[in-house]
Amino acid sequence: APSDPEYPRVGAMIDYYLAEEPAGELTLEILDASGKLVRAFSSEGPGGEEAGGEPRWTRAGFEGVVTPRLPKDAGMHRFIWDLRYPGAWAAEPRRAGSYGPLAAPGTYQARLSVGDWSRTRSFEVLIDPRVAEDGVTQEDLEAQLAFNLRLVDMMSDARKAAQRVGSVREELEKRTAEIEDRDVSNRAQRLDLQLASVEAQLVTEQGRYPQPMLIEQLGYLYGMTSGADQKLGADAYARFHELTAEFSGHVAEIERLLTTDLAELNGLLRDRGIAPVTAPMSGSPR
């Protein structure tokens, strides 16, 4: 209703004026106090949660990160950075890069650029005084951010690993239908079962009351450690190390299956005039 109060969006409000619409791409980069890129926005970006196409995730890149498009038409603009780093990679464009960790209090810079022209302005992100009164310190929030950035990276890697395994299994299914040699067919099916076993450790199966697997466990930990400004407890770090060790084991098994077993199977397929099964590069989405 018109009489309802209007609250400003949470974030850093960055105002800029363009006398005329620039011919080239307009970019806005958020940098931390050391000059390291935190987040980037572009007039040619995907444009909010309706971004389409295959996501290509980078730490602060434009492509595949759920992010608003930077307006570049003539006139005054107010752009709001939501104080978040990019979140984890996801196969679904609407989820890719969303809900990243909140920036820690400190000095940041906003750099607006088009062509050879650029301007940089500094601003401060302040600690919530209620959080400070509860005893949470700057060091606590910096440690929380560092932890969650590492966790985001692992979530991305785990999702990509599951995507990679799923891609190989799809191709294996197609090749198996072309194989007439029973021994080779059995070998392909055996490899598929081994990959399915690893995939089942990463991805929670559908159904009522399923057991959460590694990717969902990482998401749960991230939700617990990123939902509020806090000093993380020792249990969060201990759980992270447990999940890191578990994921490392799964990655080693995937590499073994795809570099040894799959290579042997592909040799047999080539001998029989059947196209080999291709596997995406390690760490790359399908």
Side-chain angles (χ1 to χ4, degrees):
S3 60
D4 290 342
E6 295 184 10
Y7 299 103
R9 288 170 52 194
V10 175
M13 297 182 183
I14 301 169
D15 297 327
Y16 62 95
Y17 172 78
L18 300 172
E20 58 184 26
E21 182 173 335
E25 179 186 19
L26 181 71
T27 63
L28 175 66
E29 297 167 296
I30 306 298
L31 313 171
D32 65 14
S34 66
K36 185 178 179 180
L37 187 62
V38 171
R39 191 80 184 268
F41 304 93
S42 168
S43 60
E44 298 179 6
E49 295 187 356
E50 298 305 318
E54 271 304 300
R56 288 181 284 179
W57 184 88
T58 60
R59 163 59 64 214
F62 305 140
E63 297 176 309
V65 176
V66 176
T67 182
R69 183 179 291 114
L70 190 66
K72 73 166 189 174
D73 49 305
M76 192 73 192
H77 299 281
R78 168 165 288 177
F79 188 86
I80 301 178
W81 171 45
D82 62 3
L83 305 182
R84 291 189 180 276
Y85 283 70
W89 179 89
E92 304 87 345
R94 292 191 180 189
R95 292 181 57 201
S98 62
Y99 193 56
L102 281 169
T107 301
Y108 292 83
Q109 302 173 73
R111 182 167 64 201
L112 189 70
S113 304
V114 60
D116 295 331
W117 177 92
S118 71
R119 288 291 184 275
T120 302
R121 296 289 184 269
S122 296
F123 62 94
E124 295 289 327
V125 173
L126 304 178
I127 191 170
D128 186 329
R130 298 167 298 180
V131 170
E133 288 179 3
D134 286 340
V136 178
T137 67
Q138 175 75 24
E139 291 73 21
D140 294 335
L141 298 181
E142 291 176 357
Q144 180 186 16
L145 172 61
F147 178 92
N148 282 321
L149 287 175
R150 291 174 61 197
L151 188 49
V152 161
D153 285 342
M154 190 188 297
M155 290 168 62
S156 298
D157 291 342
R159 289 173 179 175
K160 289 178 183 180
Q163 189 85 340
R164 186 184 186 207
V165 170
S167 175
V168 174
R169 292 193 63 209
E170 286 181 10
E171 283 209 45
L172 271 174
E173 183 178 359
K174 295 175 184 176
R175 297 297 180 275
T176 302
E178 304 174 34
I179 300 172
E180 297 180 358
D181 187 307
R182 177 168 296 182
D183 290 337
V184 179
S185 178
N186 288 340
R187 180 174 291 206
Q189 292 177 23
R190 184 164 60 250
L191 176 57
D192 180 64
L193 287 174
Q194 291 174 301
L195 289 170
S197 177
V198 180
E199 187 177 32
Q201 298 300 313
L202 297 173
V203 182
T204 302
E205 66 179 10
Q206 300 296 318
R208 298 182 63 184
Y209 312 117
Q211 178 181 350
M213 305 312 291
L214 186 131
I215 292 176
E216 190 167 341
Q217 291 171 20
L218 289 170
Y220 178 79
L221 179 60
Y222 180 69
M224 294 296 292
T225 58
S226 66
D229 292 339
Q230 59 184 297
K231 178 177 181 178
L232 298 182
D235 55 340
Y237 290 93
R239 183 59 177 151
F240 178 79
H241 290 309
E242 289 175 357
L243 294 174
T244 298
E246 182 180 339
F247 181 53
S248 295
H250 297 323
V251 169
E253 178 66 6
I254 292 171
E255 291 302 317
R256 184 189 69 80
L257 292 172
L258 297 186
T259 58
T260 302
D261 295 46
L262 181 60
E264 294 175 358
L265 175 64
N266 279 336
L268 296 174
L269 294 178
R270 291 189 185 94
D271 291 343
R272 288 156 179 77
I274 300 174
V277 175
T278 58
M281 294 294 291
S282 177
S284 300
R286 180 170 52 169

